[in-house]
Amino acid sequence: MRLFLLPCLGVAALLAGCKIEKTAVVDPSQTATSVFINDASFDPAKMVDTDWDTTILPALRTKAGPYDEVADAIAANPDAAGDHFGFRETATGGPWTYVAKLDGTVTAANTESRAATLDIKTAAGKLVTVQIGPVVRGTTIRDTVTTRPFGSFKNQVDYAQFGKSLNAKANATTLAKLPRQDLIGAHVTALGAFQAGTAGAAPLFTPVEITVGAKP
């Protein structure tokens, strides 16, 4: 009987040294993103609202060149064109994002999609595809904001949310106000950003300001 009690006493001693922890209750209101960021003070929409008219638009207006001039500069020397008309996060190797003032005529309109676009032909005959929302793809606006580069954010999730807020701001302030009917032949002017397209393909241009004028 003593042989049986000794192992039992040993197990009891081990159990006495254990601490039972309660299982944490998961907050159903939290998402994977909110848990990862874990910072309720981060408000990308407010950040964009603060910067939009005071720093972002003025900087883009200053950096931009006429689209035909920028496109010719890219064809001649992409890095030199980027130094003058663009920005990229990394010193070498990364893609440039260019800023330009577009002026041309609508040759085609895809307004059935939520990611609607206009095809624009410039005076020099260059073709550009312009996003007009409400869904705005890519991060070209974000990638021109030199005052808030990736290194100024805590993580990639915050930086991505900042990019989405910039696209939403462009849509709310200018793209949502555009007409959607009878656009072929209309004159368009715009300020925006783009990356160089592949050979023979029109670049995708994301406006921060755009005006659709009357047909000639």
Side-chain angles (χ1 to χ4, degrees):
M1 192 69 178
R2 290 178 182 175
L3 293 177
F4 176 76
L5 289 173
L6 286 175
C8 292
L9 290 172
V11 171
L14 288 173
L15 290 175
C18 296
K19 183 179 180 181
I20 300 174
E21 298 285 351
K22 292 183 179 180
T23 302
V25 178
V26 176
D27 182 352
S29 68
Q30 288 186 322
T31 65
T33 299
S34 66
V35 171
F36 183 72
I37 293 175
N38 195 29
D39 183 1
S41 67
F42 179 69
D43 188 341
K46 183 177 180 180
M47 185 183 296
V48 170
D49 286 342
T50 299
D51 291 355
W52 189 256
D53 291 315
T54 58
T55 60
I56 294 173
L57 292 184
L60 293 179
R61 291 169 187 147
T62 299
K63 194 75 170 176
Y67 179 82
D68 287 332
E69 180 182 340
V70 177
D72 288 342
I74 294 169
N77 188 324
D79 288 339
D83 285 336
H84 194 66
F85 300 112
F87 176 69
R88 66 180 176 188
E89 182 79 17
T90 56
T92 58
W96 286 100
T97 302
Y98 302 95
V99 186
K101 299 171 185 175
L102 183 64
D103 190 316
T105 302
V106 179
T107 60
N110 172 20
T111 57
E112 298 301 319
S113 169
R114 284 184 54 77
T117 58
L118 300 177
D119 290 345
I120 306 294
K121 180 181 283 189
T122 70
K126 293 180 172 59
L127 296 176
V128 186
T129 298
V130 178
Q131 300 199 79
I132 60 170
V135 174
V136 179
R137 294 174 175 169
T139 59
T140 50
I141 300 175
R142 183 197 69 183
D143 296 341
T144 64
V145 181
T146 60
T147 56
R148 294 193 187 273
F150 172 67
S152 66
F153 290 83
K154 289 175 61 177
N155 50 58
Q156 182 64 49
V157 174
D158 285 8
Y159 195 44
Q161 293 300 315
F162 178 62
K164 290 181 179 179
S165 293
L166 285 165
N167 289 352
K169 183 71 171 181
N171 182 66
T173 57
T174 190
L175 303 182
K177 301 173 184 178
L178 295 177
R180 301 281 157 160
Q181 302 295 326
D182 195 27
L183 292 169
I184 307 300
H187 178 242
V188 170
T189 59
L191 169 70
F194 68 99
Q195 291 184 348
T198 57
L204 185 64
F205 187 97
T206 305
V208 294
E209 296 177 329
I210 186 169
T211 301
V212 176
K215 296 182 180 181

